[in-house]
Structures are given as C-alpha cells and as structure tokens.
Amino acid sequence: MTIVARTDWTREEITALFNMPFMDLLYEAQSVHRANHPRNEVQLSTLLSIKTGGCPEDCGYCSQSVSAESGVKATKLMDVRTVLQAAAQAKDGGSGRFCMGAAWRNPKDRDMPALIEMVKGVRQMGMETCMTLGMLSADQARQLADAGLDYYNHNIDTAPENYANIISTRTFEDRVETLENVRDAGINVCCGGIVGLGEAREDRIGFIYALATMPHPESVPINALVPVKGTVLGDMLADTPMAKIDEIEFVRTVAVARITMPESMVRLSAGRESMSESCQALCFMAGANSIFTGDKLLTAPNAGDDSDGALLAKLGISAMQAAPHGHMEEAAE
Ligand code: SAM
Ligand code: DTB
Ligand code: SF4
C-alpha cells in the first residue's frame, strides 16, 4: 500500500493544530483516526537488542553511547539462533512484528550475512520484521530488502533546528539520506523521534513538520524520553525535574502526528512504563495505534505484558492481526 496523504503542510497549520483547545484536538484526531484505521485496535511489536552498547554516536538521550556513563555493558552481535529463539517467544506472546535493534553507527559489510539470516528466519515464522541498525548504504538497504525486511526504523528524533543540540556525531541530512536508501529499496519506513528532551514547543512543531512534509513514514514512533542516569539528557532531567514533558503536551504531539499523517501507524513507543494508564488511554484516543510489548525495550524497562494486557482489556482494545503496510498482508491479498 502506498501512502498518498498530503505532504504540503505548512508550519503555520501545524502550529495552529498544537494550539487547538485540547478537546477539539482530540476529537479531530480521533475522527481522522477512525476514517483511516480500524477503531479499537493496536498493533503489537516486540523489540530485541541484537547488539547492545558501545555505540560511537553521541546521542544525548541514549544509554548505549560510548559517551554515556550508564553502566550498559557492550556486547557483540548476537548469534542467529539466539535471535530466532527470542522471536519464537515473541510470536507465542502474540506479537505480530519483531524489531531487531543494534547500537551501531552503521552495520559493517561483514555483519550483513548474519543480519540477512535473522530477517529470513523471523519471516519464516510468519512475523513481520523490522530492523534498526543505524545508517545504511543503498546497497545494504537492497540486501535487507531482498532478504524480506518489512520495516526499517531510523528516527529523525527531533526538529532539524534542534538536531545539533542533541547529537553531534552525525547530521539531520545523514538521517534523511538513509531514509531515502531504505525507501528506494522498497522497505517500509519507520521514522519518528523523541519528545521530552528539554525541547521547546517550537521544536516539537518543527519535528512534526519535518515528518509530515516528507513522504510519510508507514510507521511513526513517538518516544517519551526515558531518562537514564549517566546520559547527558537523563542527568539534565534529574537536575531539573520541571523539564519532564507534560503529559497533555505529549498527547498533543501524538494527536498532531495522527492528523498530519492520517494513514501512518503512530506508535506510542518508549516511556510508557512511567506513563499513567489515563495518559496512555488519551494517546490511543489521539490516534496512537501501535505499541511495544514485553517488559524490556532495548535496554530500558517497558510496561510489560501483564500490565499491557490488563490496560488493553480495560479499554476494550484488541491486537491488530495484520498491519496495513506489511508485505505479509500484500502476500495474502
Ligand atoms: N542505533 C540505531 C539508531 O540510532 O538509529 C538504532 C537504535 S536507537 C536506540 C533507536 C531509537 O531509540 C533512537 O532513534 C531514539 O529515538 C530511541 N531512544 C533511544 N534512547 C532512548 C531513550 N532513553 N528514551 C527514549 N527513546 C530513546
Ligand atoms: C524507537 O523509536 N523506539 C524504540 C525503537 N525505535 C528501536 C527504542 C526505544 C529505546 C528506548 C531506550 C532503551 O531501551 O534503551
Ligand atoms: Fe547509538 Fe542509536 Fe544510541 Fe544513538 S540512539 S547512541 S546511534 S544506539
């Protein structure tokens, strides 16, 4: 399925959405949601860190950067069998997509054969595949596409104007180049970012504006910063608790993402563990329709299957059987 939604949003329009009375914004977002997606359904994905820590990039939020003193131990790339065992477990737990993440600036060509085996193995189990490995060359993207990779996650993370305040080892344009390589290879794009980095409303506007004016990602993860001690931003937040993102402002960001990218899946990603049930419910109302399940993200804790199961049951939300953009669904048509 190709996304045809408009990409000519103006910054003024996005600002006006952020400024709407909260109830009007939620009503609008839920209306857009219902016109484009099955109601009361969320897509469930499971994350696995296949290569943890020791990352040469200096993203100020990340526990896996060599610049952070977070105590995360660096590991080598996991072997294919261990990855496939974890995938089988995720499938048993009802997950429809398995996302494999590596703390790399980019994969080395010598890593490609193992990565390709992982994609093929997970697909054989009947699950959708997603990887997030840092920057990809056009050739690497093609190799992963040939193996059957369904999604590639590569976030713009924040507004282009704010990028250099958060990461200095690469540019916003580097990110866009990988996104183009991924899209050109025919892989679905998963691209979003983080709020709660201490950014201003203007930066959140700039972040959504950047996403909504590019070819819309099939999936848009909105992460709330998980503050980790020993990272620049985690420590900043510990010193200035007032900097924590306001929940209503977080929900507004989700709603504006839903309205401006109506056909995309909007994923309520990191940060759910410390979010109230009511805030998560408001995010679903605002059009979020995808979450990570399991009790761990890559290195940080996640809400966990028991509390998620209880919350979804309480809200009358069920697991989506097939995401609208996956190769799996196309194969079934
Ligand atoms: N190294 C690869 C990369 O950066 O593209 C893949 C893994 S990286 C951990 C994937 C995304 O996780 C980042 O782009 C960021 O948006 C999110 N992330 C990382 N640490 C986070 C944190 N502490 N809180 C919230 N989101 C986080
Ligand atoms: C994304 O946007 N969020 C996920 C996924 N893409 C790979 C990762 C969140 C990571 C949270 C911090 C951690 O677990 O270390
Ligand atoms: Fe490395 Fe990704 Fe963490 Fe940045 S977000 S330090 S690129 S693992």
Side-chain angles (χ1 to χ4, degrees):
M1 180 180 149
T2 314
I3 289 189
V4 291
R6 61 177 283 221
T7 54
D8 62 351
W9 291 95
T10 64
R11 207 181 162 98
E12 291 66 37
E13 283 176 306
I14 292 178
T15 306
L17 288 171
F18 265 97
N19 286 337
M20 275 170 83
F22 187 63
M23 300 310 158
D24 292 351
L25 178 64
L26 275 191
Y27 184 79
E28 171 80 11
Q30 180 63 207
S31 307
V32 169
H33 186 71
R34 285 174 182 237
N36 292 279
H37 299 270
R39 61 182 76 171
N40 306 315
E41 285 188 16
V42 298
Q43 188 267 332
L44 307 181
S45 297
T46 300
L47 269 173
L48 177 71
S49 180
I50 59 170
K51 194 271 164 211
T52 306
C55 181
E57 303 271 25
D58 70 351
C59 312
Y61 45 77
C62 186
S63 63
Q64 303 197 69
S65 164
V66 282
S67 324
E69 283 169 22
S70 60
V72 167
K73 219 176 105 230
T75 66
K76 286 200 297 214
L77 179 62
M78 229 178 231
D79 63 80
V80 177
R81 253 197 32 200
T82 314
V83 172
L84 295 185
Q85 276 166 0
Q89 245 177 33
K91 187 174 161 68
D92 285 347
S95 196
R97 189 179 306 165
F98 194 63
C99 305
M100 296 158 267
W104 281 326
R105 177 173 164 82
N106 53 264
K108 304 223 167 37
D109 284 339
R110 65 160 191 261
D111 300 317
M112 295 308 291
L115 297 170
I116 286 167
E117 282 315 301
M118 292 173 193
V119 172
K120 288 186 173 163
V122 174
R123 287 203 93 217
Q124 259 170 16
M125 293 175 192
M127 257 192 297
E128 289 181 328
T129 51
C130 176
M131 280 184 160
T132 179
L133 315 167
M135 294 185 239
L136 287 188
S137 68
D139 183 53
Q140 289 174 327
R142 228 175 352 255
Q143 289 183 51
L144 293 172
D146 289 347
L149 184 66
D150 297 291
Y151 287 81
Y152 195 76
N153 168 240
H154 200 65
N155 291 341
I156 60 165
D157 281 316
T158 190
E161 330 54 281
N162 192 38
Y163 204 75
N165 296 326
I166 309 295
I167 301 148
S168 79
T169 48
R170 55 167 193 265
T171 62
F172 188 85
E173 289 67 37
D174 288 332
R175 264 342 225 192
V176 171
E177 194 179 314
T178 291
L179 290 169
E180 282 168 4
N181 290 340
V182 167
R183 193 168 280 297
D184 289 349
I187 301 170
N188 288 304
V189 171
C190 171
C191 178
I194 313 189
V195 292
L197 303 167
E199 77 283 349
R201 159 76 73 89
E202 268 312 308
D203 297 320
R204 288 186 284 278
I205 293 170
F207 161 56
I208 300 289
Y209 175 60
L211 288 171
T213 52
M214 61 168 69
H216 291 180
E218 280 75 13
S219 170
V220 179
I222 308 285
N223 297 278
L225 176 72
V226 178
V228 181
K229 211 164 157 256
T231 61
V232 176
L233 292 166
D235 290 347
M236 182 266 307
L237 215 73
D239 292 342
T240 44
M242 288 304 286
K244 189 178 183 306
I245 184 82
D246 173 73
E247 287 194 340
I248 300 294
E249 183 68 9
F250 184 82
V251 178
R252 277 187 188 274
T253 310
V254 171
V256 179
R258 163 52 64 230
I259 293 168
T260 53
M261 294 171 278
E263 295 175 37
S264 304
M265 303 292 288
V266 174
R267 176 170 307 133
L268 178 54
S269 303
R272 282 197 309 113
E273 197 232 3
S274 60
M275 226 175 250
S276 65
E277 287 194 335
S278 337
C279 177
Q280 294 185 57
L282 283 175
C283 289
F284 295 133
M285 184 74 183
N289 61 346
S290 172
I291 56 170
F292 286 118
T293 52
D295 52 16
K296 201 166 161 205
L297 294 163
L298 291 171
T299 66
N302 193 25
D305 292 342
D306 291 348
S307 62
D308 282 344
L311 174 61
L312 296 183
K314 220 188 263 190
L315 300 175
I317 291 178
S318 54
M320 200 174 279
Q321 288 315 313
H325 313 296
H327 295 179
M328 295 295 170
E329 193 195 40
E330 278 161 29
E333 275 169 3

